[in-house]
Amino acid sequence: MQPCNPNAKIETKCLHAGYTPANGGPGVMPIVQSTTYRFDSTEHVAELFDMPTEPMYSRFANPTCDAVEQKIAALEGGVGAMLTSSGQAASLLSVLNLCNAGDSFVSASTIYGGTVNLFSVTLKRFGIDVIWVDPNASQEEIEAAIQPNTKLVFGETIANPALTVFDIEKFAAAAHNKNIPLIVDNTFATPILCRPFEFGADIVVHSTTKYMDGHAVQGGGVIVDSGNFDWVKSGKFPEFTEPDESYHGVVYTRDFGNMAYIIKARMQLMRDFGCYPAAHSAFLLNLGLETLPVRMKQYCANAMEAAKLLKASDKIASVTYPGLEDDPYHALAEKYLPNGTSGVISISIKGGRAAAVRFMDALKLASIEVHVADIRTCVLHPASATHRQLTDEQLEAAGIDGGMIRISIGLENIDDILEDLQQALDQV
Protein backbone atom coordinates (compact mmCIF):
# COMPACT_ATOMS: atom_id res chain seq x y z
CA MET A 1 0.00 0.00 0.00
CA GLN A 2 1.27 3.48 -0.88
CA PRO A 3 1.59 6.24 1.76
CA CYS A 4 -1.21 8.78 1.89
CA ASN A 5 -0.97 11.35 -0.91
CA PRO A 6 0.10 14.68 0.69
CA ASN A 7 -2.33 16.42 -1.68
CA ALA A 8 -5.27 14.26 -0.59
CA LYS A 9 -8.37 15.94 0.83
CA ILE A 10 -8.57 16.26 4.60
CA GLU A 11 -11.24 13.54 4.97
CA THR A 12 -8.85 11.10 3.30
CA LYS A 13 -5.95 12.21 5.49
CA CYS A 14 -8.03 11.58 8.61
CA LEU A 15 -8.23 7.93 7.58
CA HIS A 16 -4.92 7.26 5.87
CA ALA A 17 -2.22 9.76 6.95
CA GLY A 18 0.44 8.75 9.46
CA TYR A 19 0.27 4.97 9.10
CA THR A 20 0.84 2.85 6.00
CA PRO A 21 0.20 -0.90 6.42
CA ALA A 22 3.01 -3.14 5.22
CA ASN A 23 2.30 -6.03 2.89
CA GLY A 24 0.53 -8.58 5.07
CA GLY A 25 0.64 -6.21 8.02
CA PRO A 26 -2.22 -4.98 10.20
CA GLY A 27 -4.69 -2.80 8.34
CA VAL A 28 -5.39 -0.71 11.44
CA MET A 29 -2.62 1.19 13.21
CA PRO A 30 -1.40 -1.18 15.98
CA ILE A 31 -0.68 -0.34 19.59
CA VAL A 32 3.03 -0.66 20.35
CA GLN A 33 2.75 -1.28 24.08
CA SER A 34 6.40 -0.98 25.04
CA THR A 35 8.53 1.52 26.88
CA THR A 36 11.76 0.27 25.36
CA TYR A 37 13.28 -0.55 21.98
CA ARG A 38 16.18 -2.89 21.30
CA PHE A 39 19.11 -2.16 19.02
CA ASP A 40 21.84 -4.25 17.47
CA SER A 41 24.71 -1.92 18.34
CA THR A 42 25.83 0.82 20.68
CA GLU A 43 26.60 2.94 17.64
CA HIS A 44 22.95 2.79 16.50
CA VAL A 45 21.76 4.21 19.81
CA ALA A 46 24.44 6.89 19.71
CA GLU A 47 23.33 7.91 16.21
CA LEU A 48 19.75 8.28 17.42
CA PHE A 49 20.88 10.74 20.07
CA ASP A 50 22.45 12.79 17.28
CA MET A 51 19.55 12.42 14.83
CA PRO A 52 16.31 11.21 16.51
CA THR A 53 14.72 9.58 13.48
CA GLU A 54 13.06 6.69 15.32
CA PRO A 55 11.83 5.94 18.86
CA MET A 56 14.44 5.12 21.46
CA TYR A 57 12.49 5.51 24.71
CA SER A 58 8.78 6.05 25.31
CA ARG A 59 9.12 9.05 27.60
CA PHE A 60 9.30 11.14 24.44
CA ALA A 61 8.57 8.87 21.46
CA ASN A 62 6.53 5.77 20.61
CA PRO A 63 5.63 4.24 17.21
CA THR A 64 1.87 4.45 17.82
CA CYS A 65 2.12 8.04 19.02
CA ASP A 66 4.43 8.82 16.11
CA ALA A 67 1.83 7.69 13.58
CA VAL A 68 -0.82 9.91 15.19
CA GLU A 69 1.62 12.82 15.32
CA GLN A 70 2.26 12.45 11.61
CA LYS A 71 -1.48 12.36 10.94
CA ILE A 72 -2.18 15.54 12.92
CA ALA A 73 0.75 17.32 11.28
CA ALA A 74 -0.70 16.36 7.89
CA LEU A 75 -4.16 17.63 8.90
CA GLU A 76 -2.82 21.00 10.03
CA GLY A 77 -0.31 21.30 7.19
CA GLY A 78 2.73 21.28 9.48
CA VAL A 79 6.18 19.70 9.26
CA GLY A 80 5.94 17.86 12.56
CA ALA A 81 3.92 17.37 15.72
CA MET A 82 4.41 16.18 19.29
CA LEU A 83 1.69 14.65 21.44
CA THR A 84 1.44 15.56 25.11
CA SER A 85 -0.49 14.16 28.06
CA SER A 86 -2.99 17.06 28.09
CA GLY A 87 -3.90 20.27 26.33
CA GLN A 88 -2.47 22.22 29.26
CA ALA A 89 0.84 20.44 28.79
CA ALA A 90 0.81 21.38 25.11
CA SER A 91 0.22 25.05 25.94
CA LEU A 92 2.90 24.97 28.63
CA LEU A 93 5.60 23.39 26.48
CA SER A 94 4.74 25.55 23.47
CA VAL A 95 5.61 28.62 25.54
CA LEU A 96 8.56 27.15 27.47
CA ASN A 97 10.14 26.16 24.16
CA LEU A 98 10.54 29.88 23.46
CA CYS A 99 10.63 31.68 26.82
CA ASN A 100 13.16 31.75 29.63
CA ALA A 101 13.00 33.47 33.03
CA GLY A 102 12.94 37.20 32.38
CA ASP A 103 11.02 36.89 29.12
CA SER A 104 7.42 37.86 28.38
CA PHE A 105 4.73 36.96 25.86
CA VAL A 106 1.51 38.52 24.63
CA SER A 107 -1.84 36.70 24.82
CA ALA A 108 -5.42 37.49 23.90
CA SER A 109 -7.41 37.89 27.13
CA THR A 110 -10.35 35.67 26.12
CA ILE A 111 -8.54 32.32 26.20
CA TYR A 112 -9.59 29.29 28.26
CA GLY A 113 -9.64 29.92 32.03
CA GLY A 114 -7.23 27.12 32.86
CA THR A 115 -4.73 28.60 30.43
CA VAL A 116 -5.26 32.05 31.97
CA ASN A 117 -4.20 30.60 35.32
CA LEU A 118 -1.26 28.76 33.75
CA PHE A 119 -0.04 31.95 32.11
CA SER A 120 -0.75 34.51 34.83
CA VAL A 121 0.15 32.47 37.94
CA THR A 122 2.29 29.41 37.24
CA LEU A 123 4.47 30.85 34.48
CA LYS A 124 4.92 34.00 36.53
CA ARG A 125 6.53 31.80 39.20
CA PHE A 126 8.94 30.70 36.48
CA GLY A 127 9.83 34.36 35.88
CA ILE A 128 7.86 34.56 32.62
CA ASP A 129 5.31 37.38 32.34
CA VAL A 130 2.15 37.42 30.23
CA ILE A 131 0.91 40.67 28.69
CA TRP A 132 -2.85 40.55 28.12
CA VAL A 133 -4.43 42.27 25.13
CA ASP A 134 -8.05 42.61 24.05
CA PRO A 135 -8.76 40.33 21.06
CA ASN A 136 -10.34 43.36 19.37
CA ALA A 137 -7.21 45.47 19.78
CA SER A 138 -5.79 47.01 16.62
CA GLN A 139 -2.59 45.71 15.08
CA GLU A 140 -0.87 48.88 16.29
CA GLU A 141 -2.07 48.27 19.86
CA ILE A 142 -0.87 44.67 19.75
CA GLU A 143 2.54 45.73 18.50
CA ALA A 144 2.72 48.40 21.23
CA ALA A 145 2.15 45.66 23.84
CA ILE A 146 5.13 43.66 22.54
CA GLN A 147 8.24 44.46 24.58
CA PRO A 148 11.92 43.86 23.75
CA ASN A 149 11.82 40.68 25.88
CA THR A 150 8.56 39.38 24.33
CA LYS A 151 9.04 36.03 22.60
CA LEU A 152 5.61 35.09 21.18
CA VAL A 153 1.95 35.97 20.73
CA PHE A 154 -0.82 33.54 21.74
CA GLY A 155 -4.55 33.22 21.02
CA GLU A 156 -7.44 30.77 20.53
CA THR A 157 -9.21 30.30 17.19
CA ILE A 158 -12.57 30.05 18.99
CA ALA A 159 -12.18 31.13 22.61
CA ASN A 160 -13.49 28.89 25.39
CA PRO A 161 -16.14 29.85 26.53
CA ALA A 162 -16.42 33.45 25.25
CA LEU A 163 -16.52 32.14 21.64
CA THR A 164 -14.72 35.19 20.29
CA VAL A 165 -13.14 34.44 16.92
CA PHE A 166 -9.42 35.18 16.83
CA ASP A 167 -8.28 37.42 13.98
CA ILE A 168 -5.31 35.26 13.05
CA GLU A 169 -3.99 37.42 10.22
CA LYS A 170 -4.02 40.58 12.38
CA PHE A 171 -2.18 38.97 15.27
CA ALA A 172 0.24 37.18 12.91
CA ALA A 173 1.11 40.47 11.22
CA ALA A 174 1.75 42.13 14.58
CA ALA A 175 3.92 39.24 15.77
CA HIS A 176 5.92 38.99 12.55
CA ASN A 177 6.54 42.74 12.44
CA LYS A 178 8.29 42.24 15.78
CA ASN A 179 10.13 39.09 14.60
CA ILE A 180 8.32 36.70 16.94
CA PRO A 181 5.99 33.74 16.21
CA LEU A 182 2.24 33.36 16.68
CA ILE A 183 0.90 30.33 18.57
CA VAL A 184 -2.78 29.48 18.08
CA ASP A 185 -4.88 27.11 20.20
CA ASN A 186 -7.09 25.47 17.55
CA THR A 187 -8.98 23.11 19.88
CA PHE A 188 -12.59 24.12 19.17
CA ALA A 189 -12.13 24.60 15.43
CA THR A 190 -9.96 21.54 14.75
CA PRO A 191 -8.21 21.45 11.36
CA ILE A 192 -11.55 20.48 9.83
CA LEU A 193 -12.97 23.98 10.36
CA CYS A 194 -9.79 26.09 10.37
CA ARG A 195 -6.11 25.60 9.59
CA PRO A 196 -4.32 28.56 11.22
CA PHE A 197 -1.07 28.03 9.29
CA GLU A 198 -2.91 29.14 6.15
CA PHE A 199 -3.49 32.53 7.79
CA GLY A 200 0.02 33.13 9.14
CA ALA A 201 0.18 31.24 12.45
CA ASP A 202 3.50 29.53 13.17
CA ILE A 203 2.65 27.00 15.88
CA VAL A 204 -0.68 25.32 16.66
CA VAL A 205 -1.70 23.58 19.88
CA HIS A 206 -4.76 21.47 20.67
CA SER A 207 -6.38 19.85 23.61
CA THR A 208 -7.00 16.54 21.85
CA THR A 209 -9.26 15.65 24.79
CA LYS A 210 -11.99 17.63 23.04
CA TYR A 211 -13.27 17.21 19.47
CA MET A 212 -10.26 15.26 18.19
CA ASP A 213 -10.98 12.48 20.67
CA GLY A 214 -14.70 13.29 20.75
CA HIS A 215 -15.76 10.40 22.96
CA ALA A 216 -14.49 11.55 26.39
CA VAL A 217 -12.31 8.48 26.85
CA GLN A 218 -8.80 9.95 27.19
CA GLY A 219 -7.00 13.23 27.77
CA GLY A 220 -4.25 14.59 25.60
CA GLY A 221 -2.71 17.48 23.73
CA VAL A 222 -0.54 18.18 20.73
CA ILE A 223 1.87 20.82 19.44
CA VAL A 224 2.19 21.24 15.66
CA ASP A 225 5.05 23.11 13.97
CA SER A 226 4.36 24.87 10.65
CA GLY A 227 8.06 24.95 9.80
CA ASN A 228 7.57 28.48 8.47
CA PHE A 229 9.12 30.71 11.13
CA ASP A 230 12.74 31.74 10.46
CA TRP A 231 14.42 31.41 13.85
CA VAL A 232 17.79 32.51 12.47
CA LYS A 233 16.50 35.66 10.77
CA SER A 234 14.51 36.63 13.85
CA GLY A 235 17.65 37.01 15.95
CA LYS A 236 15.66 36.61 19.17
CA PHE A 237 16.13 32.89 19.80
CA PRO A 238 19.75 31.93 20.57
CA GLU A 239 18.51 28.62 22.03
CA PHE A 240 17.73 27.59 18.45
CA THR A 241 20.82 29.00 16.74
CA GLU A 242 23.55 28.31 19.31
CA PRO A 243 24.76 24.96 20.72
CA ASP A 244 22.55 23.25 23.29
CA GLU A 245 25.08 22.06 25.86
CA SER A 246 22.42 19.90 27.53
CA TYR A 247 22.21 17.92 24.31
CA HIS A 248 25.88 17.47 23.29
CA GLY A 249 26.07 20.82 21.51
CA VAL A 250 23.34 20.31 18.93
CA VAL A 251 22.31 23.46 17.03
CA TYR A 252 18.63 22.99 16.23
CA THR A 253 18.41 25.29 13.22
CA ARG A 254 21.63 23.95 11.72
CA ASP A 255 20.91 20.28 12.33
CA PHE A 256 17.14 20.13 11.86
CA GLY A 257 16.30 23.01 9.53
CA ASN A 258 12.64 23.99 9.53
CA MET A 259 11.83 21.31 12.12
CA ALA A 260 13.99 23.06 14.73
CA TYR A 261 11.06 24.08 16.95
CA ILE A 262 9.36 20.70 17.25
CA ILE A 263 12.65 18.77 17.59
CA LYS A 264 13.80 21.11 20.36
CA ALA A 265 10.45 20.68 22.13
CA ARG A 266 10.82 16.90 22.03
CA MET A 267 14.51 16.40 22.73
CA GLN A 268 14.81 19.13 25.35
CA LEU A 269 11.44 19.71 27.03
CA MET A 270 9.71 16.34 26.62
CA ARG A 271 12.95 14.68 27.70
CA ASP A 272 12.90 16.69 30.93
CA PHE A 273 9.15 17.03 31.66
CA GLY A 274 8.13 13.59 30.44
CA CYS A 275 4.47 14.50 29.84
CA TYR A 276 4.10 12.06 26.94
CA PRO A 277 0.89 10.06 26.37
CA ALA A 278 0.62 6.28 26.48
CA ALA A 279 0.40 4.33 23.23
CA HIS A 280 -3.13 3.22 24.06
CA SER A 281 -4.22 6.84 24.48
CA ALA A 282 -2.83 7.65 21.04
CA PHE A 283 -4.66 4.65 19.59
CA LEU A 284 -7.97 5.90 21.01
CA LEU A 285 -7.22 9.41 19.74
CA ASN A 286 -6.68 8.01 16.26
CA LEU A 287 -10.13 6.40 16.31
CA GLY A 288 -11.58 9.82 17.00
CA LEU A 289 -9.54 11.46 14.25
CA GLU A 290 -10.83 8.98 11.68
CA THR A 291 -14.40 10.24 12.09
CA LEU A 292 -13.57 13.89 12.81
CA PRO A 293 -14.79 15.36 9.48
CA VAL A 294 -18.17 13.63 9.74
CA ARG A 295 -18.61 14.58 13.39
CA MET A 296 -17.62 18.24 13.00
CA LYS A 297 -20.17 18.71 10.22
CA GLN A 298 -22.96 17.35 12.42
CA TYR A 299 -21.84 19.22 15.54
CA CYS A 300 -22.07 22.48 13.60
CA ALA A 301 -25.47 21.64 12.09
CA ASN A 302 -26.97 20.66 15.46
CA ALA A 303 -25.50 23.69 17.23
CA MET A 304 -26.94 26.09 14.67
CA GLU A 305 -30.45 24.74 15.27
CA ALA A 306 -29.97 24.90 19.04
CA ALA A 307 -28.62 28.45 18.85
CA LYS A 308 -31.70 29.55 16.89
CA LEU A 309 -34.05 28.04 19.49
CA LEU A 310 -32.18 29.68 22.36
CA LYS A 311 -32.06 32.99 20.52
CA ALA A 312 -35.87 32.99 20.22
CA SER A 313 -36.45 32.45 23.96
CA ASP A 314 -37.45 35.38 26.16
CA LYS A 315 -35.64 33.62 29.05
CA ILE A 316 -32.25 34.24 27.45
CA ALA A 317 -30.38 37.54 27.79
CA SER A 318 -27.86 36.70 25.08
CA VAL A 319 -26.70 33.88 22.82
CA THR A 320 -23.10 33.79 21.64
CA TYR A 321 -22.51 31.62 18.61
CA PRO A 322 -20.36 32.97 15.76
CA GLY A 323 -22.43 31.06 13.22
CA LEU A 324 -25.41 33.36 13.87
CA GLU A 325 -25.59 36.26 11.42
CA ASP A 326 -26.01 38.89 14.14
CA ASP A 327 -23.11 37.61 16.24
CA PRO A 328 -20.37 40.28 16.56
CA TYR A 329 -17.79 37.74 15.37
CA HIS A 330 -19.81 36.43 12.42
CA ALA A 331 -17.70 38.29 9.84
CA LEU A 332 -14.49 36.80 11.24
CA ALA A 333 -16.18 33.40 11.37
CA GLU A 334 -17.05 33.65 7.68
CA LYS A 335 -13.39 34.42 6.94
CA TYR A 336 -11.70 31.83 9.14
CA LEU A 337 -14.47 29.26 9.73
CA PRO A 338 -16.63 29.15 6.58
CA ASN A 339 -17.71 25.53 7.19
CA GLY A 340 -19.00 26.03 10.73
CA THR A 341 -18.10 27.32 14.17
CA SER A 342 -18.11 24.09 16.24
CA GLY A 343 -20.82 22.71 18.50
CA VAL A 344 -20.26 25.02 21.46
CA ILE A 345 -22.74 27.75 22.36
CA SER A 346 -22.48 30.25 25.21
CA ILE A 347 -25.69 31.70 26.63
CA SER A 348 -26.48 34.13 29.42
CA ILE A 349 -29.78 33.49 31.18
CA LYS A 350 -31.85 36.32 32.59
CA GLY A 351 -31.72 36.16 36.37
CA GLY A 352 -28.00 35.48 36.68
CA ARG A 353 -26.40 32.58 38.53
CA ALA A 354 -29.57 31.33 40.26
CA ALA A 355 -31.48 31.08 36.98
CA ALA A 356 -28.50 29.40 35.31
CA VAL A 357 -28.45 26.74 38.02
CA ARG A 358 -32.20 26.11 37.68
CA PHE A 359 -31.88 25.67 33.92
CA MET A 360 -28.94 23.29 34.15
CA ASP A 361 -30.48 21.16 36.90
CA ALA A 362 -33.70 20.84 34.84
CA LEU A 363 -31.95 19.29 31.83
CA LYS A 364 -32.62 15.59 31.29
CA LEU A 365 -30.73 14.62 28.12
CA ALA A 366 -27.83 17.01 28.49
CA SER A 367 -25.49 16.27 31.37
CA ILE A 368 -23.57 18.60 33.67
CA GLU A 369 -19.89 17.83 33.04
CA VAL A 370 -16.49 19.43 33.45
CA HIS A 371 -15.95 18.79 29.79
CA VAL A 372 -16.74 20.17 26.37
CA ALA A 373 -16.74 19.00 22.75
CA ASP A 374 -18.07 15.59 23.70
CA ILE A 375 -20.07 13.31 21.42
CA ARG A 376 -22.92 13.78 23.94
CA THR A 377 -24.58 17.09 24.81
CA CYS A 378 -23.22 18.57 28.02
CA VAL A 379 -23.36 21.87 29.91
CA LEU A 380 -21.17 23.75 32.37
CA HIS A 381 -21.34 26.95 34.43
CA PRO A 382 -17.89 28.47 33.77
CA ALA A 383 -17.92 30.99 36.63
CA SER A 384 -18.45 28.13 39.11
CA ALA A 385 -16.14 25.61 37.47
CA THR A 386 -13.47 26.03 34.77
CA HIS A 387 -13.05 29.77 35.47
CA ARG A 388 -13.71 29.65 39.24
CA GLN A 389 -10.12 30.66 40.03
CA LEU A 390 -10.36 33.92 38.04
CA THR A 391 -10.96 37.30 39.66
CA ASP A 392 -14.05 39.35 38.77
CA GLU A 393 -11.84 41.51 36.56
CA GLN A 394 -10.45 38.45 34.78
CA LEU A 395 -13.94 37.01 34.34
CA GLU A 396 -15.07 40.26 32.75
CA ALA A 397 -12.02 40.30 30.46
CA ALA A 398 -12.82 36.72 29.45
CA GLY A 399 -16.41 37.68 28.64
CA ILE A 400 -17.98 35.64 31.46
CA ASP A 401 -20.85 36.61 33.78
CA GLY A 402 -22.78 34.73 36.48
CA GLY A 403 -25.58 33.80 34.11
CA MET A 404 -23.32 32.34 31.45
CA ILE A 405 -23.72 28.67 30.56
CA ARG A 406 -21.50 26.83 28.10
CA ILE A 407 -23.53 24.34 26.09
CA SER A 408 -21.67 21.71 24.11
CA ILE A 409 -24.10 20.30 21.57
CA GLY A 410 -23.60 16.60 20.86
CA LEU A 411 -24.64 14.19 18.16
CA GLU A 412 -28.00 13.10 19.51
CA ASN A 413 -30.99 13.62 17.22
CA ILE A 414 -31.52 17.36 16.99
CA ASP A 415 -35.23 17.04 17.86
CA ASP A 416 -34.32 15.42 21.17
CA ILE A 417 -31.74 18.11 21.92
CA LEU A 418 -34.19 20.91 21.20
CA GLU A 419 -36.91 19.28 23.28
CA ASP A 420 -34.59 18.99 26.26
CA LEU A 421 -33.45 22.61 26.01
CA GLN A 422 -37.03 23.85 25.71
CA GLN A 423 -38.37 21.92 28.69
CA ALA A 424 -35.51 23.22 30.83
CA LEU A 425 -36.17 26.79 29.70
CA ASP A 426 -39.82 26.35 30.64
CA GLN A 427 -38.74 25.70 34.23
CA VAL A 428 -36.61 28.82 34.60
Side-chain angles (χ1 to χ4, degrees):
M1 184 175 179
Q2 295 296 314
C4 182
N5 183 345
N7 297 318
K9 303 299 183 186
I10 198 163
E11 295 85 355
T12 302
K13 289 180 178 178
C14 281
L15 290 169
H16 296 286
Y19 172 69
T20 303
N23 184 34
V28 176
M29 182 190 74
I31 302 173
V32 179
Q33 194 66 50
S34 180
T35 61
T36 53
Y37 311 91
R38 297 185 179 185
F39 303 95
D40 292 335
S41 68
T42 304
E43 183 180 3
H44 189 176
V45 177
E47 289 172 351
L48 289 179
F49 275 88
D50 286 334
M51 185 64 69
T53 55
E54 58 187 278
M56 64 183 97
Y57 187 61
S58 281
R59 189 172 72 235
F60 46 81
N62 170 277
T64 304
C65 296
D66 177 67
V68 179
E69 289 164 345
Q70 290 185 47
K71 175 173 287 188
I72 295 174
L75 297 180
E76 285 286 9
V79 296
M82 181 179 74
L83 292 177
T84 61
S85 56
S86 68
Q88 282 290 80
S91 295
L92 172 65
L93 297 191
S94 73
V95 173
L96 291 183
N97 206 31
L98 301 173
C99 291
N100 297 309
D103 289 336
S104 68
F105 65 101
V106 166
S107 176
S109 61
T110 49
I111 61 172
Y112 167 60
T115 313
V116 170
N117 198 71
L118 169 67
F119 287 175
S120 61
V121 178
T122 302
L123 284 180
K124 188 174 182 63
R125 292 174 180 157
F126 284 37
I128 299 169
D129 291 324
V130 60
I131 301 167
W132 300 108
V133 296
D134 190 297
N136 299 318
S138 67
Q139 181 178 328
E140 292 72 23
E141 290 171 325
I142 299 166
E143 290 186 26
I146 297 172
Q147 304 301 306
N149 69 343
T150 300
K151 295 297 182 70
L152 65 103
V153 177
F154 189 98
E156 272 184 74
T157 309
I158 305 174
N160 174 14
L163 302 187
T164 54
V165 177
F166 190 59
D167 192 340
I168 301 170
E169 287 187 343
K170 177 180 71 177
F171 277 82
H176 295 162
N177 281 348
K178 295 293 185 175
N179 299 311
I180 57 176
L182 172 64
I183 300 178
V184 174
D185 182 336
N186 200 34
T187 295
F188 274 9
T190 80
I192 304 304
L193 302 180
C194 180
R195 287 175 289 283
F197 295 155
E198 296 176 3
F199 300 100
D202 302 290
I203 309 297
V204 159
V205 297
H206 289 268
S207 171
T208 62
T209 315
K210 311 304 190 297
Y211 283 123
M212 282 188 165
D213 168 88
H215 298 76
V217 293
Q218 55 85 37
V222 69
I223 304 172
V224 189
D225 183 2
S226 71
N228 294 330
F229 192 81
D230 192 330
W231 306 102
V232 176
K233 184 179 179 180
S234 167
K236 290 179 174 286
F237 300 95
E239 301 89 347
F240 288 79
T241 59
E242 297 177 6
D244 178 359
E245 298 305 332
S246 77
Y247 204 74
H248 53 262
V250 67
V251 177
Y252 293 101
T253 50
R254 179 196 67 196
D255 298 336
F256 302 107
N258 71 340
M259 293 186 71
Y261 177 91
I262 203 68
I263 294 293
K264 178 178 178 292
R266 186 182 301 274
M267 304 314 297
Q268 189 182 80
L269 296 179
M270 189 58 75
R271 174 196 64 191
D272 291 346
F273 283 86
C275 48
Y276 203 61
H280 189 254
S281 295
F283 176 82
L284 294 173
L285 171 58
N286 185 63
L287 293 180
L289 290 171
E290 290 180 340
T291 63
L292 187 60
V294 180
R295 289 188 292 107
M296 292 309 298
K297 181 178 180 179
Q298 194 60 48
Y299 284 125
C300 294
N302 282 358
M304 180 61 77
E305 293 302 310
K308 290 177 180 177
L309 178 141
L310 293 163
K311 188 80 174 177
S313 173
D314 60 3
K315 306 287 184 71
I316 305 294
S318 65
V319 175
T320 302
Y321 186 66
L324 293 171
E325 290 186 0
D326 62 349
D327 188 275
Y329 290 92
H330 184 68
L332 283 176
E334 286 192 313
K335 176 179 179 178
Y336 294 116
L337 302 144
N339 297 318
T341 56
S342 87
V344 183
I345 305 167
S346 285
I347 64 172
S348 184
I349 289 191
K350 294 177 182 178
R353 187 179 296 235
V357 169
R358 285 198 301 273
F359 171 79
M360 292 173 61
D361 289 349
L363 291 165
K364 298 177 181 179
L365 177 67
S367 56
I368 300 173
E369 298 180 9
V370 185
H371 191 43
V372 68
D374 193 354
I375 201 168
R376 303 161 190 87
T377 298
C378 56
V379 296
L380 188 73
H381 188 246
S384 299
T386 54
H387 293 65
R388 188 179 184 87
Q389 74 276 17
L390 271 59
T391 64
D392 290 342
E393 292 76 15
Q394 288 175 322
L395 285 171
E396 183 178 355
I400 298 169
D401 62 48
M404 176 184 274
I405 298 171
R406 185 185 68 192
I407 305 175
S408 180
I409 301 296
L411 300 185
E412 300 93 345
N413 184 281
I414 185 58
D415 292 339
D416 294 328
I417 295 173
L418 298 181
E419 180 182 348
D420 190 39
L421 294 174
Q422 186 60 60
Q423 66 85 22
L425 286 170
D426 292 342
Q427 299 182 56
V428 173

